[in-house]
Amino acid sequence: GENVEQHPSTLSVQEGDSAVIKCTYSDSASNYFPWYKQELGKRPQLIIDIRSNVGEKKDQRIAVTLNKTAKHFSLHITETQPEDSAVYFCAASRGNTDKLIFGTGTRLQVFP
Amino acid sequence: DTGVSQDPRHKITKRGQNVTFRCDPISEHNRLYWYRQTLGQGPEFLTYFQNEAQLEKSRLLSDRFSAERPKGSFSTLEIQRTEQGDSAMYLCASSLNGYTEAFFGQGTRLTVV
């Protein structure tokens, strides 16, 4: 079945450094790739998403890259801040015909 | 509040009892998902609806689980004969379609004792 692998499971960075989280997916028909941030005790919230017709998307300090050939996509956070500390989940779906499959999450800790 | 709402927020039940959760999606959203999340894991897909039609149910879901969305608006998830392994956060999400952001509710935390 469909599978999304996510690495690393934990990531600690110093404030101001960059953080990179990587995901690979198994279903070559996947064409929609969102990233969610979940703070402790709160609901997952979308921070950025990308569709398969583009290779990169940026939104201020956050960027996502997609390599469809290799079936992997990555989240890049630059100039990290303590409030970026949370669990980040990647997900993949076939878009209009399918559900979201989530990765296992990355706990990001940003130290002041 | 115009977001996704779930009720109850917390539920403690004895093993063997039945429980039912409710999800009210964002009003114009056609698609509604149910996920289960255990500590340290990502949301695990359970089932989803397009309007009132249940389009897919996870193979991991036992027959004790059933979901409905009778009028294409709110949805209920029922777990019969609960087991301790059912203890988890049950998340509901809705979206306009499969290509747009899925908004999550706050979840229902189930504890089976």
Side-chain angles (χ1 to χ4, degrees):
Chain A
E2 307 93 330
N3 186 47
V4 177
E5 294 187 356
Q6 183 171 348
H7 299 281
S9 57
T10 59
L11 180 59
S12 296
V13 299
Q14 205 73 30
E15 182 178 2
D17 288 350
S18 295
V20 180
I21 302 170
K22 298 182 179 182
C23 289
T24 58
Y25 59 98
S26 60
D27 185 357
S28 57
S30 296
N31 55 17
Y32 175 60
F33 307 92
W35 286 88
Y36 283 81
K37 175 182 180 183
Q38 188 174 30
E39 297 177 37
L40 192 63
K42 296 191 176 181
R43 72 187 81 190
Q45 291 193 298
L46 183 79
I47 55 171
I48 195 167
D49 57 12
I50 191 168
R51 291 170 178 78
S52 59
N53 55 345
V54 297
E56 183 175 359
K57 184 177 178 181
K58 291 183 76 171
D59 182 4
Q60 299 182 351
R61 297 186 296 108
I62 294 172
V64 58
T65 58
L66 171 64
N67 182 328
K68 284 212 73 180
T69 303
K71 292 193 283 187
H72 66 70
F73 56 114
S74 301
L75 178 71
H76 304 253
I77 306 175
T78 58
E79 301 171 25
T80 53
Q81 301 166 3
E83 50 266 38
D84 293 330
S85 297
V87 179
Y88 291 81
F89 294 101
C90 61
S93 87
R94 296 178 184 176
N96 213 29
T97 61
D98 210 2
K99 70 281 184 186
L100 283 171
I101 299 296
F102 283 83
T104 50
T106 296
R107 180 172 298 280
L108 173 65
Q109 287 185 300
V110 180
F111 293 98
Chain B
D1 185 358
T2 57
V4 179
S5 62
Q6 292 186 243
D7 183 70
R9 295 286 307 277
H10 304 274
K11 178 71 176 179
I12 300 174
T13 190
K14 291 184 178 179
R15 190 170 46 189
Q17 297 294 304
N18 298 345
V19 294
T20 300
F21 310 141
R22 177 180 170 122
C23 171
D24 286 273
I26 293 172
S27 60
E28 65 268 25
H29 284 184
N30 298 321
R31 190 161 287 201
L32 186 148
Y33 307 84
W34 284 100
Y35 287 87
R36 176 171 61 193
Q37 187 176 28
T38 53
L39 200 62
Q41 297 297 313
E44 175 189 29
F45 169 74
L46 296 179
T47 188
Y48 82 104
F49 294 84
Q50 177 79 18
N51 299 313
E52 67 274 10
Q54 187 173 17
L55 296 188
E56 187 172 346
K57 189 175 174 180
S58 170
R59 289 187 295 271
L60 302 175
L61 214 57
S62 78
D63 291 342
R64 297 184 297 106
F65 287 73
S66 63
E68 294 183 339
R69 194 182 182 196
K71 297 182 180 179
S73 56
F74 74 92
S75 176
T76 57
L77 177 69
E78 181 183 17
I79 309 174
Q80 296 182 327
R81 303 181 303 282
T82 52
E83 302 172 356
Q84 284 190 316
D86 297 332
S87 296
M89 175 72 82
Y90 289 83
L91 292 165
C92 175
S94 72
S95 66
L96 197 56
N97 55 51
Y99 280 114
T100 58
E101 177 178 357
F103 292 84
F104 281 85
Q106 293 275 33
T108 295
R109 181 169 296 284
L110 173 66
T111 303
V112 181
V113 297

